[in-house]
Amino acid sequence: ACFDPDPKYKQAANRAFRLERLHALTHHPVLTDVMKRLVGPHLLVHPKPIARTIFPNCEGALLHAHQDNSGIGGSPESYTAWMPLHDCLQGQGTLEIKEMSHLFGLQCADGYISPETAQGGDWVGGRINAGDVAIFQSLTVHRSTLSTSNQLRYSVDCRFQSYDEAVSPLEIVFPNRAKGGRTWEATYADWKHDDLKYYWRDLPLRLKPSVAELAAQAEKADSPEKRRRYTTIVELIEREILMLVH
């Protein structure tokens, strides 16, 4: 049970995602102040932080070279903050980043990028300590390394952008809830405070694809499964993002 989609790992990951302290970390004033200096005052904190547990010598858990924008969509002018929850030494599954790779646009629209053909400078990485934050733009090519230590590695990554830029609705809603996936209701069930619940409802978000585009995709879908998926996303947007969307 050392990586997704193992059911036990997914169950543990879902429990971690429901932690109020995890979501509060991404809204920490020091972190949001730094991100506002990058994207401007209209900051959108993406509401789906990822708490990662990396087991030693678990090749299935490796994240090969990729760009976050290929997975999260929306504007390329979004940023990832990667934070170790302890001192992360060389050999503990550290992060590696390809220098200047964000200057070459989207290098692969779907999936991983060959490290040999990835455009950019040198691969850089190494020790990163508790309290450090690695921040990189969503077109930056990066990867994880294999942990060869005898310890678990814990880290958090979260994403930020200006809400003046387009954001994918899949960064907010959970279209797989019908298959036993996450929901905001379950996430918030044991929280003690309400201030971070559905906070994006107060922001004039620009969705890409828009509700109209998703509805059109539902109409043109070539299978009932795809049609249900698009329709579900539209319904979730209307319920969970509400009317400030434009």
Side-chain angles (χ1 to χ4, degrees):
C2 70
F3 65 96
D4 194 9
D6 184 282
K8 290 183 179 179
Y9 184 94
K10 183 169 286 189
Q11 186 180 42
N14 285 343
R15 287 201 300 269
F17 183 79
R18 291 195 293 267
L19 291 172
E20 185 175 4
R21 286 177 293 177
L22 170 65
H23 295 262
L25 174 63
T26 68
H27 290 264
H28 192 284
V30 173
L31 184 57
T32 56
D33 179 65
V34 171
M35 301 315 297
K36 285 179 180 178
R37 297 184 190 195
L38 284 173
V39 308
H42 296 166
L43 180 66
L44 170 65
V45 180
H46 285 211
K48 294 182 180 181
I50 303 173
R52 300 189 190 273
T53 302
I54 303 300
F55 285 73
N57 298 300
C58 184
E59 293 191 7
L62 277 174
L63 286 176
H64 300 287
H66 67 285
Q67 296 167 293
D68 284 347
N69 188 254
S70 67
I72 67 175
S75 170
E77 291 301 321
S78 60
Y79 291 82
T80 294
W82 191 95
M83 298 172 282
L85 300 183
H86 53 83
D87 291 348
C88 188
L89 309 180
Q90 193 77 31
Q92 284 188 286
T94 52
L95 180 72
E96 289 189 340
I97 289 175
K98 194 162 185 64
E99 289 183 314
M100 299 183 292
S101 53
H102 66 292
L103 301 177
F104 293 87
L106 188 61
Q107 299 186 36
C108 180
D110 183 25
Y112 293 126
I113 302 168
S114 169
E116 291 77 23
T117 60
Q119 294 178 284
D122 295 331
W123 285 100
V124 295
R127 174 173 178 153
I128 182 168
N129 295 326
D132 292 340
V133 182
I135 299 173
F136 49 91
Q137 202 242 27
S138 72
L139 292 175
T140 302
V141 178
H142 60 287
R143 63 186 179 186
S144 62
T145 59
L146 183 68
S147 174
T148 55
S149 74
N150 59 359
Q151 299 177 341
L152 295 173
R153 192 213 81 192
Y154 298 99
S155 64
V156 170
D157 49 276
C158 46
R159 296 171 178 89
F160 305 82
Q161 68 172 81
S162 169
Y163 59 73
D164 295 329
E165 300 283 344
V167 60
S168 167
L170 298 183
E171 284 297 286
I172 300 175
V173 302
F174 294 108
N176 294 323
R177 55 194 294 152
K179 298 180 180 180
R182 296 171 180 172
T183 68
W184 288 118
E185 293 90 340
T187 299
Y188 296 149
D190 297 322
W191 285 23
K192 296 180 180 179
H193 306 94
D194 295 332
D195 55 319
L196 295 183
K197 296 179 180 179
Y198 302 107
Y199 58 87
W200 56 84
R201 289 179 171 176
D202 295 327
L203 304 177
L205 300 182
R206 295 180 55 222
L207 297 185
K208 178 184 178 182
S210 67
V211 171
E213 289 169 335
L214 288 165
Q217 289 176 348
E219 288 289 329
K220 296 185 292 186
D222 56 9
S223 71
E225 183 177 357
K226 289 182 180 179
R227 189 174 301 110
R228 282 193 299 270
R229 176 176 172 81
Y230 290 129
T231 300
T232 297
I233 294 172
V234 170
E235 292 172 351
L236 289 170
I237 290 171
E238 292 174 343
R239 182 164 72 247
E240 296 182 347
I241 305 183
L242 298 182
M243 298 306 294
L244 282 176
V245 172
H246 64 80

